[in-house]
Amino acid sequence: MPEAASAPSPSRAVIGDSEFDRDTAVVRRGPGVYGIDLSAGWTIISAVNGGYLLAVLGRALADALPHPDPFTVSAYYLTASQPGPAVVRTETIRTGRTLSTGQASLFQYDDQGNEVERIRVLASYGDLAGLPDDVRTTATPPAIPPLDQCFGPADGPAPIEGSNAIADRLMLKLDPATLGWALGAPSGKGEMRAWFGLADGRDPDPLSLLLAVDALPPTAFEIGLKGWVPTVELTAHVRRRPAPGPLRVSITTRNLAGGFLEEDAEVWDSENHLVAQSRQLARARLA
């Protein structure tokens, strides 16, 4: 097990009874239709975080489909979601013995009362508990200093001017080697690494992995860019149920071109298992 300790918490929340669970809970209104009040606690500036939205839609699909766990989730972020009421509509596309596939869209109303689609997801679900234990891989966990040698949002300036409410809900400790941007000296390498968890101590599960792949500061900061980096498309693969304890997240960007960049993420659990992977395309604001 890597050298780390969970963030101190007087009473650790448990899966099913934490802020994350309450804020991603959906209410079934009819066949395949769910309501939710998107929490302002998961915003950056005024927009709702993409990983939180992925978890919301993931929870709705877990209820709508016969299998419990997301295996692969591909999301298209169409317009920026805002805190407040939203409707999720799901559709079952196919069900099989080991996998089921469905799609879901989240809608809100604009100032003129028009319904606007915010995000659309296509996903396949299965049962992670039923997967074989055989693992053959060349992947290795990221080398991150011990948690007490890393730095969180409270240790420096906010990465983006404006509110960063999501930071209060996360246990996020960044590798000092990927913090050049915070000191005005970005490395140019397009890397971000961190210890990750929920601030109330809740252990990770497959749904919180959907949050983890899109919760770190953008790699664009280490390339020397500033400002919001909105996601265009994100595909996440959940590989296994994570062990209890903090996660390690590593994100890299190899190519910025035409005002767009990719981010490849790996999420490792406390027992050195690769539990999730993702790739997203994001828009970068060039100087």
Side-chain angles (χ1 to χ4, degrees):
M1 178 178 289
E3 184 180 354
S6 299
S9 175
S11 58
R12 293 172 59 90
V14 297
I15 295 175
D17 186 21
S18 75
E19 186 174 29
F20 174 77
D21 297 303
R22 292 188 292 273
D23 287 350
T24 57
V26 293
V27 178
R28 189 186 302 176
R29 293 182 176 175
V33 180
Y34 302 85
I36 186 171
D37 194 21
L38 297 178
S39 171
W42 303 88
T43 56
I44 299 176
I45 309 178
S46 61
V48 180
N49 170 262
Y52 165 71
L53 291 172
L54 209 61
V56 167
L57 286 145
R59 192 173 293 281
L61 283 168
D63 182 82
L65 296 174
H67 293 94
D69 301 316
F71 275 28
T72 179
V73 181
S74 293
Y76 288 84
Y77 295 82
L78 308 176
T79 53
S81 299
Q82 305 298 321
V87 174
V88 177
R89 298 192 181 102
T90 67
E91 177 187 353
T92 300
I93 297 173
R94 182 185 181 276
T95 60
R97 185 175 61 86
T98 59
L99 287 175
S100 56
T101 299
Q103 67 177 6
S105 291
L106 183 142
F107 298 87
Q108 291 185 304
Y109 289 96
D110 63 16
D111 294 338
Q112 288 73 46
N114 302 310
E115 191 174 68
V116 178
E117 187 174 7
R118 302 297 195 191
I119 175 176
R120 183 179 296 189
V121 158
L122 181 67
S124 290
Y125 274 55
D127 185 355
L128 291 168
L131 295 182
D133 293 329
D134 187 5
V135 176
R136 310 177 197 194
T137 181
T138 59
T140 56
I144 304 178
L147 195 148
D148 59 4
Q149 295 178 23
C150 295
F151 297 92
D155 300 316
I160 301 176
E161 292 185 5
S163 64
N164 188 21
I166 190 174
D168 295 332
R169 276 136 197 94
L170 303 179
M171 188 288 293
L172 192 64
K173 292 289 186 177
L174 294 162
D175 184 341
T178 66
L179 273 175
W181 56 270
L183 304 174
S187 67
K189 295 181 179 179
E191 298 175 345
M192 203 67 64
R193 293 183 295 274
W195 294 97
F196 176 87
L198 293 168
D200 59 13
R202 177 198 189 274
D203 282 321
D205 70 346
L207 279 179
S208 69
L209 295 178
L210 299 181
L211 169 68
V213 298
D214 192 41
L216 271 60
T219 55
F221 293 169
E222 273 294 88
I223 299 176
L225 303 180
K226 297 180 180 179
W228 189 33
V229 185
T231 302
V232 177
E233 185 272 344
L234 187 155
T235 295
H237 297 160
V238 178
R239 308 306 302 268
R240 65 180 294 158
R241 292 184 177 277
L247 302 168
R248 284 160 293 165
V249 183
S250 172
I251 305 179
T252 59
T253 291
R254 297 178 57 200
N255 192 52
L256 165 65
F260 291 85
L261 57 83
E262 89 288 346
E263 287 192 336
D264 292 315
E266 291 185 351
V267 183
W268 296 77
D269 70 6
S270 61
E271 295 182 356
N272 288 331
H273 298 131
L274 179 61
V275 292
Q277 299 166 279
S278 73
R279 165 167 280 197
Q280 69 169 280
L281 183 71
R283 183 186 295 274
R285 293 187 177 181
L286 304 177

